[in-house]
Every structure is written in C-alpha cells, then in structure tokens.
Amino acid sequence: MNAPRHLALLLALLSAAGSASTRAAAAEWLSYRDAYRTMIVFEKYGRPKNYLQNQIQLVPARKRALPEDIELSLQLKDSTVHLPLDAIGRAVFPVLKVAFDENAPLLIDGGAGPVSFRARISIMSRADGVYDSAELRAACAQALDYQRYTGASAHASACVGVRFVYPLDGPAPQLRVRGNGQAALLPVALGAAFPGDEHGAYRVVNYRFADAAGQVLAASPPLAIAPLIE
C-alpha cells in the first residue's frame, strides 16, 4: 500500500472512531452495575411475588414526561442489546454476567436532559381483562410486603386498592365492577401513573377495596396497574 493511500485510510478510520465517541459522549448513560444492584433485590426476594413484576424505569431529572422518542440500550463490548421502553418509560432489565463484568453502560438516546432510573414494582395485567378483587388484594399485599422489605414503605401503611393506568390519548378507559348486581362503571380521572410520582399525566381509574367486591372488568389493557398504599 502506498503512503498517501495508507494515510487516507488511517484518517478515515480515525474520523469514524471520533464520530462514534462523540455520539457516545453526547448520550446520557447509566452504570449497569448500579442498576443491577438495585434490580437484583427483587430477584433475590424470597417471599410471594407471583402477582408482581419488577422493571427498570427511566426518570427525568426535571418534572416532565419522558420524550416519546427516547431509547434505552445496553452497550456491550461486542454487541448492543436494545431494551424496549413502554409508554411509562419502563423496560425489562437484563441480568447478564458479561454486562456486570464489563460494567457496560446503559445508553439513553433521545432524552432532553439528565435521566436517572429506579426499580418500579407493579401488578401484572391479565390478557382477558378480568380481575378478581381477591387477587387484586393479594397483589397489593405482596407489593406492600416488598416495599416494607426494601424500606420503601412505613409499617403503618395499608393496601387500599389498585390504580389502572391509561394514556391520555385514545378511547376513554372503561372499567366496571361486577358484583351481585349490575356492573358499575368506575370513574376516570387525570393523575400520575403511580401514587407520589411527579412525572407524566395519565388517565387513571382507581379501584378501592372498600367500595365494592367482585370482579373488575377492563375493556382494554392498561399501561400499568399500580398498588394504592396509604
């Protein structure tokens, strides 16, 4: 290879490497090890949790909703693992030894400012949209037990119900409680996806255990089901 051609190839490789470094530097990122230490607590938790799911959730530093085009990925040395985010900014956290050994960065693209993370416990939804009140009580109790285990909830707190979360756009959510009589429609309100959350606004339907027993019938699947602990 002659000298001018070799020099041109070297400059092209350096330019490509510089562009990649610039993109990586421009993106927000989180430490995989930090996230792992937070998320693995749920995996090691030995008490009943069959109604619960634990996901990593992105949280903007400022009180605002996450941008719609935000993306999360795990950047390993030899590959990239894309972690799809739902409408509330949650993703399934991959437990990978290689990622821990490398302390691979969790890259956040499309954000507007600093973004942090937290472990988010929620209640698993049902494909048929039929929720027995007894199972919802049990799910809320599991969430409360876990919060007490992690120190996130005072021992005096109690499960009072669950919150079904829906997006602001689209058809209005319809949830009914079916007991001994005719199914009663539950009211829809605007609020945060999870009680105490300051980020984002959604249409929410609260089902309180003291209001009625029976079954909750959801005409459309919720974005999330949050425990109401007061």
Side-chain angles (χ1 to χ4, degrees):
M1 182 182 296
N2 58 48
R5 185 177 178 183
H6 176 76
L7 179 60
L9 178 59
L10 178 61
L11 290 174
L13 290 173
L14 288 173
S15 176
S19 298
S21 299
T22 300
R23 288 195 298 271
E28 294 287 333
W29 67 277
L30 306 168
S31 163
Y32 179 86
R33 286 180 185 169
D34 289 346
Y36 174 90
R37 292 186 182 100
T38 298
M39 302 300 297
I40 202 65
V41 175
F42 182 81
E43 300 299 321
K44 295 181 176 181
Y45 178 64
R47 299 196 63 183
K49 55 185 178 181
N50 54 299
Y51 291 116
L52 305 180
Q53 60 184 356
N54 183 44
Q55 295 165 295
I56 187 170
Q57 182 182 26
L58 299 185
V59 182
R62 303 181 185 89
K63 296 179 182 180
R64 57 177 176 78
L66 284 170
E68 292 184 359
D69 59 347
I70 196 168
E71 295 180 350
L72 178 65
S73 61
L74 176 62
Q75 188 66 54
L76 301 170
K77 287 182 179 179
D78 299 324
S79 62
T80 299
V81 180
H82 295 283
L83 306 177
L85 294 166
D86 68 8
I88 308 179
R90 302 173 303 171
V92 175
F93 183 78
V95 178
L96 301 173
K97 183 179 184 299
V98 63
F100 187 89
D101 292 342
E102 296 177 6
N103 193 20
L106 289 159
L107 297 182
I108 303 167
D109 290 314
V115 176
S116 61
F117 76 92
R118 63 184 161 205
R120 175 63 79 184
I121 292 291
S122 60
I123 297 169
M124 288 189 291
S125 60
R126 291 181 57 92
D128 60 6
V130 179
Y131 300 86
D132 288 330
S133 59
E135 290 187 347
L136 291 176
R137 285 176 180 270
C140 189
Q142 287 183 5
L144 177 56
D145 285 344
Y146 182 72
Q147 288 189 17
R148 287 172 173 168
Y149 171 78
T150 60
S153 180
H155 288 279
S157 300
C159 291
V160 298
V162 296
R163 171 173 294 181
F164 292 81
V165 184
Y166 289 86
L168 283 176
D169 300 326
Q174 293 189 352
L175 281 85
R176 289 178 167 82
V177 178
R178 181 172 63 191
N180 295 329
Q182 186 176 3
L185 188 65
L186 292 172
V188 180
L190 297 181
F194 295 86
D197 199 346
E198 298 178 337
H199 301 86
Y202 302 87
R203 288 184 292 191
V204 299
V205 180
N206 291 336
Y207 167 62
R208 292 185 172 269
F209 300 139
D211 292 342
Q215 291 180 320
V216 177
L217 310 177
S220 57
L223 297 176
I225 305 175
L228 290 178
I229 299 172
E230 298 176 354

